[in-house]
Amino acid sequence: MAAAPVRQRSGPGGHRAQLPPCYYEGYLEKRGPKEKASKRLWTCLCGNSLYFFNNAKDTHYVEKLDLSGFVSLKDDCSRDRNLEAARLILRMKDGETKLTAPNLESRELWKGFLYSVIDLNVPSCLTLLPGQLQMLKEVVDKERSRRRSRNPARAPPSPLSVPLVGEIPACFRPVSRTEAEVLLERHPDCGNMLLRPGRDGCSLAVTTRQDLNGSVFRHYRVTQRDQGGYVIDVENPIPCATLHEVIDALVEKTAGTLQPFLLEEPYEENITYVSANDENGERILHTAPSSPLPKAPALPPKQDRWSTSPLSRSPAPDRRILTSPVPASPTNPMRRLILSPSPLAQTLNEELKVKLEKRRASQE
């Protein structure tokens, strides 16, 4: 792997010593939105930003890319003059930055560190080793602690701190203003309006996004009235009995241009499990086989002791075939059929007996 392991370098009074903790570093080729050619720079992921140096020994960075405006990160499958190189497209709110890693393995690891710092969660969609996943988990914990210690009062409020009344709409998200903008821009097909807690923790806000030569964001305050219900604080306040009416009012006022943001969380496509290697004790992530399980052979239908045999449902002429000798077992169902003739058979026997007696009497 071309990227070097993380090691803190503190230059003599240089900028590097004043940067946030470095989680990952290595050489990347970078081309910004306004740059015509790529530059090979030593790249450090420090905190929530990428810092670029001319080489690994420099103490002053030449460029900085703040990841707070992150929109998406995807692979660039276009060919490079270096056949082993692997490209990335990092899309930010102010444009795209193209990055090129030395190889595919390095690109996967860069993606893992970037997603971990941006989402504060270990990504599950990448192909990484157990040791690398443990590194990402440690980075997530460190970055969370760093942000809490730096801005303890600016943490997004919990939805429980907002005195909500009634049923909460599905477009409610416990995110900050900036996080709401990123969500709406990252998932434009899921809607363009979401409900979130306000900055003061005592009110709510609606964030909307529309396209007009770029993203246009608007934020509306929603406060709870003492006499019950809510009101949208605009020039002409709009009273609403419930939060659902707040969303419906904005949809109606904009003739359906604004639609609630409904993000369907992804589900796993395969069943995975973790097991330990018996030889070295290393824990490995396995994928369960996707082939269907063999079906158990079907059991014959269970016949009740008193249920009617299929033979007993056949027409009367077929019952006469059963006059052949059968075993004299009292539990044999065939014997029960013979010993218990049908009413029709009894009637025929009586009529035949009467005719025989009349014929015998006439002959005498």
Side-chain angles (χ1 to χ4, degrees):
M1 186 181 298
V6 176
R7 52 186 184 278
Q8 288 292 96
R9 298 186 184 87
S10 54
H15 288 179
R16 191 186 291 257
Q18 303 172 3
L19 299 181
C22 182
Y23 301 132
Y24 194 59
E25 57 185 357
Y27 274 110
L28 288 177
E29 292 187 14
K30 170 190 171 293
R31 189 175 74 180
K34 300 180 180 179
E35 297 174 344
K36 296 182 179 180
S38 299
K39 295 182 291 184
R40 187 171 182 266
L41 300 171
W42 183 261
T43 308
C44 297
L45 177 60
C46 301
N48 195 34
S49 299
L50 287 173
Y51 295 86
F52 299 94
F53 301 82
N54 287 322
N55 55 65
K57 297 182 179 180
D58 279 1
T59 58
H60 292 73
Y61 62 86
V62 294
E63 294 183 47
K64 174 187 175 182
L65 182 60
D66 190 353
L67 298 175
S68 60
F70 173 82
V71 175
S72 64
L73 180 65
K74 63 180 181 179
D75 297 341
D76 184 359
C77 298
S78 59
R79 294 186 177 182
D80 190 87
R81 61 182 182 276
N82 179 7
L83 297 180
E84 294 185 357
R87 293 183 171 184
L88 274 173
I89 298 178
L90 177 60
R91 185 184 175 196
M92 311 295 290
K93 294 172 63 175
D94 55 354
E96 292 183 350
T97 298
K98 295 186 176 181
L99 304 172
T100 304
N103 49 57
L104 292 174
E105 184 181 2
S106 176
R107 181 177 71 179
E108 284 295 292
L109 203 49
W110 271 109
K111 287 163 60 179
F113 278 98
L114 289 172
Y115 278 129
S116 298
V117 169
I118 293 169
D119 296 333
L120 291 180
N121 195 15
V122 177
S124 59
C125 58
L126 303 178
T127 306
L128 298 173
L129 298 175
Q132 295 170 334
L133 293 174
Q134 180 62 30
M135 292 170 55
L136 298 184
K137 184 179 182 302
E138 294 174 359
V139 167
V140 170
D141 295 338
K142 292 179 181 178
E143 181 63 12
R144 283 178 177 170
S145 300
R146 185 187 74 87
R147 295 188 190 181
R148 281 196 300 264
S149 61
R150 187 182 62 173
N151 295 318
R154 296 184 60 185
S158 167
L160 298 178
S161 65
V162 182
L164 301 182
V165 175
E167 186 180 356
I168 303 176
C171 63
F172 176 82
R173 289 274 168 171
V175 296
S176 64
R177 173 182 287 221
T178 302
E179 291 170 337
E181 293 180 355
V182 172
L183 268 178
L184 292 175
E185 188 163 24
R186 192 185 299 181
H187 305 282
D189 297 334
C190 298
N192 56 0
M193 172 178 58
L194 64 79
L195 182 68
R196 60 177 178 83
R199 287 185 175 179
D200 55 5
C202 299
S203 63
L204 294 164
V206 173
T207 298
T208 66
R209 173 191 175 272
Q210 299 181 74
D211 285 316
L212 182 63
N213 299 325
S215 296
V216 178
F217 296 100
R218 293 291 182 267
H219 306 273
Y220 304 95
R221 183 188 298 275
V222 178
T223 56
Q224 186 175 350
R225 299 187 298 179
D226 296 335
Q227 61 271 29
Y230 299 87
V231 61
I232 305 175
D233 290 335
V234 289
E235 185 176 358
N236 294 319
I238 305 174
C240 302
T242 64
L243 290 175
H244 282 281
E245 289 190 14
V246 170
I247 302 301
D248 293 341
L250 291 171
V251 173
E252 182 181 355
K253 292 288 184 182
T254 60
T257 302
L258 297 180
Q259 290 295 322
F261 180 79
L262 303 175
L263 178 62
E264 181 179 355
E265 300 295 340
Y267 293 92
E268 300 295 337
E269 297 182 354
N270 297 298
I271 299 175
T272 58
Y273 61 96
V274 178
S275 65
N277 191 313
D278 296 335
E279 297 180 357
N280 54 20
E282 184 179 4
R283 300 182 69 82
I284 303 175
L285 184 66
H286 297 275
T287 300
S290 57
S291 58
L293 297 175
K295 294 184 178 179
L299 296 176
K302 183 178 180 181
Q303 294 184 355
D304 188 73
R305 180 180 177 182
W306 305 107
S307 62
T308 304
S309 169
L311 294 175
S312 65
R313 294 195 299 268
S314 58
D318 293 338
R319 291 193 182 93
R320 291 199 293 269
I321 302 175
L322 302 177
T323 58
S324 59
V326 293
S329 172
T331 60
N332 193 315
M334 304 290 287
R335 177 177 175 82
R336 290 203 305 271
L337 289 174
I338 297 174
L339 296 178
S340 302
S342 66
L344 179 61
Q346 292 178 352
T347 304
L348 292 176
N349 289 336
E350 292 176 358
E351 292 179 356
L352 181 60
K353 184 178 179 180
V354 171
K355 289 181 179 181
L356 288 176
E357 291 179 353
K358 289 182 177 180
R359 183 181 299 178
R360 189 179 301 167
S362 62
Q363 290 178 356
E364 292 177 355

